[in-house]
Amino acid sequence: PASVLVRLADESVLVPLEPALERGRWVTRFLMVLTVAGGLLIAWLVSRVDKGRRQVSESERELEEAQRLANVGNWVHDLSKQYLECSDEMLRIFGAPLCSTRLSLDEVDARIHPDDFERVKARFAALVSTRERMQLEHRLLCVSGETRYLRVIAVAEPPDGAIVRLRGTVQDVTEIRTAQESLERLNADL
């Protein structure tokens, strides 16, 4: 039969190991503190990111409300694409469904009043060639058959180098334009 010899460590074996064991305990404590501190840091960072997201979300809601109140929408046209990325208010002004954020260039062109079309196209071509901020008014043909007046402001980006996008705003100025025309008619009648 095989016998197993178990030798209990005596103090002469354990005493030289005591400093190493103590260092191991300190390393373990240090690593535990680092783990807790790391967890606290991560929790703090996550809370800061969440707060930033809430602030951005609130800013977006405020911008949407301001655009709605002022009848101003915004758009971006990446010149490599055949559509505009639009704000909800721009889509409302155009009478487009809010289920998408895009209007195709064909949709936009089809809505410009025929008497204004060439002038609008020429102004956008000039924007691309001169890079000078552009502002114009033109008529929009609504799906309902109504004609609206729009004020468009646009810039080319970047301001130097190859132009990669156009960015702008559209404001529905129909009420202002209608009031001006009524005032002009009244003045003419006097």
Side-chain angles (χ1 to χ4, degrees):
S3 64
V4 176
L5 178 65
V6 176
R7 181 175 170 214
L8 294 175
D10 60 16
E11 281 194 30
S12 64
V13 173
L14 292 178
V15 169
L17 296 177
E18 199 56 45
L21 289 172
E22 189 58 30
R23 281 191 305 272
R25 286 186 205 107
W26 278 105
V27 167
T28 301
R29 290 181 196 125
F30 178 72
L31 291 175
M32 287 173 51
V33 168
L34 278 181
T35 301
V36 169
L40 291 173
L41 177 62
I42 289 170
W44 180 79
L45 289 172
V46 167
S47 74
R48 298 296 296 166
V49 167
D50 286 345
K51 181 179 179 183
R53 285 183 180 149
R54 284 190 305 275
Q55 288 173 335
V56 166
S57 182
E58 180 64 24
S59 292
E60 288 174 346
R61 279 191 298 279
E62 289 172 0
L63 174 62
E64 286 175 12
E65 180 66 9
Q67 286 187 346
R68 188 185 64 73
L69 291 171
N71 282 332
V72 174
N74 66 293
W75 52 269
V76 176
H77 175 211
D78 178 335
L79 296 180
S80 67
K81 309 277 191 309
Q82 292 299 308
Y83 56 83
L84 303 178
E85 287 287 341
C86 305
S87 68
D88 285 353
E89 188 60 24
M90 167 117 176
L91 295 170
R92 276 189 208 92
I93 290 169
F94 269 72
L98 298 180
C99 59
S100 173
T101 60
R102 296 179 178 165
L103 282 174
S104 76
L105 295 180
D106 290 339
E107 288 176 281
V108 173
D109 288 350
R111 305 290 290 289
I112 297 172
H113 192 283
D115 294 342
D116 297 342
F117 186 80
E118 290 305 320
R119 180 175 55 86
V120 170
K121 285 299 182 187
R123 293 294 301 276
F124 273 96
L127 169 64
V128 171
S129 66
T130 66
R131 296 173 187 260
E132 292 180 13
R133 180 178 182 265
M134 179 209 56
Q135 180 172 331
L136 71 95
E137 283 190 17
H138 72 84
R139 290 168 288 180
L140 174 76
L141 301 174
C142 297
V143 174
S144 65
E146 179 185 16
T147 299
R148 310 288 297 169
Y149 290 89
L150 302 184
R151 178 176 295 132
V152 179
I153 300 172
V155 295
E157 294 180 343
D160 51 8
I163 296 174
V164 295
R165 81 183 60 79
L166 303 177
R167 181 180 303 273
T169 60
V170 171
Q171 182 178 21
D172 184 344
V173 293
T174 305
E175 291 176 12
I176 296 168
R177 187 67 180 259
T178 303
Q180 286 173 338
E181 289 172 357
S182 295
L183 187 58
E184 289 170 7
R185 279 193 302 275
L186 285 173
N187 285 335
D189 289 345
L190 293 178

